[in-house]
Amino acid sequence: MLRAGGIVLGGSFVSGSATAADGATTLTVLSYNDIQTAAAEDKNFPRLVTLIEQRRAAADGPVVVVGGGDQVGPHALSPISQWRAPVDVLNEVDPDADVIGNHEFDYGFDPISDVTADSGFPWLATNLVDSETGDAFDGTESSEIVNRGGVSVGLIGLADQGATTGKTNIDFEAEGVTIEDYTETGPAEAKRLKEAEDVDAVIALAHTGIDDAELLAEADADDDIDVVVVGDDEQRYPPEAVDGSIISEARARAAFLSEIELTIEGGEVTGFDGRLIEVTDDIEKDPTASQIINDYRAEVSLDSPVVETETPLNATFGANYHRETGYGNLITDAMRERVDADAAITNAGGIRSDSVYGPGEITGGDIFNTLPFPNTVVSLELTGEELVETLESQVITLESETGQSFGEEISQQTSGLRFEWVPHEDADELVRDVYVGGEPLDPDETYEVAVNSYIANGGSGYPLEDKVIEDTGELQATTVVNYLEEKETIAPEPEGRMQRVDRDLPDAAVTVDGNGKVVAQFDAPDDVESVAEDTATVWTPEGDHLDAEHVAFDEGDERLVVRVDDGDLADTVEDADDGDELPLDLYAEYESSEYEQIYFERSRLNADLTATVRRRGRGRAGPPGR
């Protein structure tokens, strides 16, 4: 039974004072997770090293230091150091154990043994076992027991399907590894450690994300797992009692350190206190850690400027998973140009660092930090039908489990393409109205598409295996750097390449003659409660767009009226001839009575417009002599 603040809580935790009573010991658990891109920067990582030493020194009793996985990748130094830069720094930390996460497999399956051999601490993989022996696979351990200050602590390492087969290209079955159910293996190993090894506390290093860590706590019926240190989904989750276990996650990229103080009394955990400590700029950098990182950086001149940007380069997860970004456009434009392809696609998860760069000077290190994987640029041949299937593979619907947590997502960035995506389970098509190079997609036509090698091999669920026609062998980051070095300044912005649509308005026809106003009226769907006037925009297939000058919605008769300036609209289709009929799209955001958006502020409407061009009265010059 656990006790917080000296009060018995009937088997459940409440955070409070963990001051040890007579005969009790305070065990401090320090943890971090998902170091990733911070491993290549002389910023937070050396400060985290200092903070760990400070909290070790301040502890009132024994200390255990552990990691939650995803420490050795991805980062900007991986092309030259692979796992070595982060491992060299972590060896200075001298943790008691870490857990194998999906990014520990960034360099392949066999190099895991090299990672663990170079580490001065054990890497745990309790539920990733040798299919023949049932032991932890080569280079890893099933568990670790730490005896310190009269306290015995059992450590186990767990990963779920999402952090193994879901986020790597490793064929675990072919490698002779079985992925056991972490909710069964974890509690069973915790029970063994407590009963057979007589440990006082069990800490699970769980590279599962918070939701699955809570499932682990729920599955641990006898409450043998006292603490769950979480990694993978990179949440800021201060220590909290859940179903008899204390769960904590320190976000990612060395931004926080989790500190949990356990009261150990009579061979069991009886109380706790905990917090997340932010890694701030006023914490001094550990000089050895800084030197390790800077020595590696010097080998590849990561601090040299390559271009000036007039607009921000947004490498945040939230932006790149949910919508088109200027930086995503730049990356895919560089890829498409590199192989002279019709289109280019890159996965949102391959754009890292979760930071924004510029406006201002951009260095090579900035690019490698945002594209840290050793992925090369690859050229494929896809039919139009296969191209649509590829784009659809990344749409996350609002109704899905992921959509209910993070909102509807497009999960990729593209070049040479324009299309609409409809993120709902009842949609007839998840991706529609696709244009390639400004022309409607032909399902039977063959298109050359540039991608990175990770998704070419089926990563992130892309259906692209066995379609490669050329691997350039050039790193994706190098391709982008080379592309930028040819330019003095850049100003990438969203161009309407990927248009989100939740509901459709009826089709409409308008005439564009350059005089007066163009007015379109629509019967709105039943779930429209209001329309945001400043969001209505008309787009051409080429990416030109015009904001509406007036929008009116009558909730009583569910009537939507949109007005644009005819002269401005005519300018957007200036290359069209008299009598031409052009496809246009109207988009507008609205408050929905049906869709409860998780990420986006509002839902989005679309109407297909057919614009007939009339040039009379526009003064267009004719042939000489007229």
Side-chain angles (χ1 to χ4, degrees):
M1 186 175 296
L2 299 157
R3 185 170 62 217
I7 302 172
V8 176
L9 300 173
S12 63
F13 290 119
V14 173
S15 178
S17 172
T19 302
D22 291 341
T25 302
T26 298
L27 171 71
T28 299
V29 181
L30 302 176
S31 66
Y32 48 85
N33 56 277
D34 299 271
I35 295 295
Q36 298 189 25
T37 55
E41 298 180 307
D42 184 21
K43 295 179 180 178
N44 271 15
F45 199 13
R47 293 188 177 97
L48 176 66
V49 175
T50 297
L51 181 59
I52 290 171
E53 290 310 304
Q54 289 175 345
R55 300 315 300 165
R56 265 182 171 142
D60 183 19
V63 178
V64 173
V65 180
V66 292
D70 275 8
Q71 320 297 7
V72 304
H75 57 86
L77 292 171
S78 29
I80 59 158
S81 86
Q82 297 180 302
W83 61 86
R84 295 177 182 86
V87 164
D88 287 351
V89 175
L90 288 175
N91 282 339
E92 294 298 312
V93 173
D94 191 25
D96 292 289
D98 214 313
V99 59
I100 296 291
N102 50 289
H103 285 303
E104 271 67 55
F105 292 106
D106 281 356
Y107 314 102
F109 181 82
D110 291 337
I112 290 288
S113 295
D114 297 320
V115 173
T116 59
D118 286 346
S119 301
F121 52 91
W123 288 86
L124 307 180
T126 309
N127 68 313
L128 305 185
V129 302
D130 185 297
S131 299
E132 294 184 0
T133 67
D135 298 328
F137 73 89
D138 189 31
T140 67
E141 303 293 336
S142 290
S143 62
E144 177 77 2
I145 297 176
V146 177
N147 293 294
R148 195 161 292 145
V151 175
S152 179
V153 183
L155 305 176
I156 60 176
L158 305 170
D160 62 1
Q161 292 281 348
T164 49
T165 55
K167 294 182 180 178
T168 74
N169 281 337
I170 304 298
D171 186 338
F172 288 92
E173 184 178 358
E175 298 292 349
V177 172
T178 298
I179 304 171
E180 296 178 342
D181 188 334
Y182 71 100
T183 64
E184 296 178 0
T185 300
E189 180 62 8
K191 180 171 288 298
R192 187 194 72 80
L193 288 168
K194 285 200 169 178
E195 294 181 353
E197 304 292 344
D198 198 28
V199 301
D200 301 307
V202 172
I203 302 172
L205 316 183
H207 200 73
T208 61
I210 291 295
D211 289 346
D212 286 344
E214 291 176 345
L215 291 177
L216 172 64
E218 182 182 350
D220 181 26
D222 294 327
D223 294 341
D224 290 312
I225 299 175
D226 298 292
V227 175
V228 183
V229 168
V230 185
D232 190 45
D233 60 351
E234 305 177 18
Q235 292 192 45
R236 182 184 181 279
Y237 195 92
E240 181 178 331
V242 178
D243 280 322
S245 297
I246 305 159
I247 297 178
S248 181
E249 185 173 15
R251 198 172 176 181
R253 290 168 290 283
F256 292 90
L257 176 69
S258 172
E259 182 177 76
I260 301 172
E261 295 170 317
L262 301 176
T263 300
I264 308 293
E265 190 174 6
E268 63 180 1
V269 178
T270 60
F272 88 101
D273 196 5
R275 65 203 59 82
L276 293 184
I277 305 172
E278 186 173 5
V279 178
T280 59
D281 290 348
D282 59 0
I283 298 174
E284 291 186 7
K285 300 174 185 176
D286 179 85
T288 303
S290 288
Q291 182 175 348
I292 290 170
I293 293 170
N294 286 323
D295 285 349
Y296 278 113
R297 289 181 69 87
E299 292 184 31
V300 285
S301 302
L302 290 182
D303 298 314
S304 301
V306 294
V307 78
E308 187 91 8
T309 180
E310 297 174 355
T311 56
L313 304 185
N314 191 335
T316 63
F317 292 124
N320 285 283
Y321 268 94
H322 290 91
R323 63 183 189 273
E324 173 194 355
T325 66
Y327 190 40
N329 290 349
L330 185 152
I331 293 167
T332 50
D333 286 350
M335 295 167 61
R336 182 163 64 97
E337 181 180 281
R338 174 63 178 81
V339 296
D340 192 26
D342 299 302
I345 304 170
T346 198
N347 57 313
I351 303 173
R352 311 300 287 194
S353 89
D354 203 27
S355 300
V356 178
Y357 300 81
E361 186 177 88
I362 302 298
T363 68
D366 294 333
I367 303 304
F368 273 85
N369 207 36
T370 59
L371 298 171
F373 295 104
N375 297 326
T376 56
V377 175
V378 172
S379 181
L380 314 172
E381 279 190 350
L382 301 175
T383 66
E385 183 178 1
E386 291 171 333
L387 180 53
V388 172
E389 179 187 1
T390 298
L391 296 172
E392 287 186 331
S393 72
Q394 301 306 297
V395 175
I396 302 297
T397 64
L398 181 61
E399 296 81 9
S400 67
E401 181 178 350
T402 300
Q404 286 297 293
S405 296
F406 301 105
E408 47 198 38
E409 297 179 348
I410 185 58
S411 309
Q412 59 197 327
Q413 299 292 316
T414 65
S415 175
L417 299 170
R418 296 190 186 280
F419 59 90
E420 294 174 348
W421 56 288
V422 187
H424 296 289
E425 300 290 350
D426 60 355
D428 293 333
E429 300 171 292
L430 295 177
V431 168
R432 66 188 194 187
D433 294 350
V434 182
Y435 286 78
V436 183
E439 298 294 328
L441 173 137
D442 183 340
D444 300 319
E445 182 66 47
T446 298
Y447 298 97
E448 187 170 350
V449 182
V451 299
N452 67 55
S453 53
Y454 170 72
I455 65 176
N457 290 322
S460 291
Y462 278 93
L464 296 176
E465 292 182 277
D466 303 322
K467 299 183 185 299
V468 175
I469 60 172
E470 178 191 2
D471 187 335
T472 66
E474 183 176 271
L475 291 173
Q476 186 180 22
T478 300
T479 293
V480 175
V481 169
N482 292 342
Y483 176 81
L484 293 176
E485 284 180 335
E486 297 178 358
K487 307 175 186 300
E488 292 184 2
T489 61
I490 58 171
E493 292 183 333
E495 302 172 352
R497 298 181 182 185
M498 304 185 295
Q499 299 278 12
R500 174 176 62 100
V501 175
D502 292 290
R503 287 287 190 195
D504 289 315
L505 294 165
D507 296 348
V510 297
T511 298
V512 180
D513 60 14
N515 297 310
K517 309 295 180 182
V518 173
V519 178
Q521 300 186 46
F522 307 93
D523 292 326
D526 293 341
D527 69 315
V528 177
E529 295 182 328
S530 64
V531 177
E533 295 185 21
D534 60 348
T535 65
T537 309
V538 176
W539 287 79
T540 71
E542 291 75 28
D544 296 318
H545 64 280
L546 173 67
D547 293 337
E549 64 176 18
H550 179 69
V551 175
F553 173 67
D554 188 318
E555 189 175 3
D557 62 9
E558 298 182 340
R559 193 76 171 163
L560 174 65
V561 179
V562 179
R563 186 180 74 211
V564 298
D565 183 271
D566 198 347
D568 292 340
L569 185 58
D571 289 341
T572 66
V573 294
E574 61 183 355
D575 293 333
D577 293 323
D578 185 53
D580 283 352
E581 291 188 350
L582 303 177
L584 302 175
D585 279 289
L586 169 70
Y587 301 100
E589 296 182 9
Y590 74 102
E591 295 291 343
S592 171
S593 60
E594 178 176 349
Y595 298 133
E596 184 176 347
Q597 291 293 337
I598 308 297
Y599 174 85
F600 294 102
E601 184 177 354
R602 290 176 288 261
S603 299
R604 203 156 184 253
L605 295 165
N606 165 242
D608 292 336
L609 305 180
T610 300
T612 302
V613 177
R614 298 299 181 205
R615 291 299 181 186
R616 293 185 297 275
R618 286 285 290 165
R620 169 174 280 196
R626 291 193 179 182

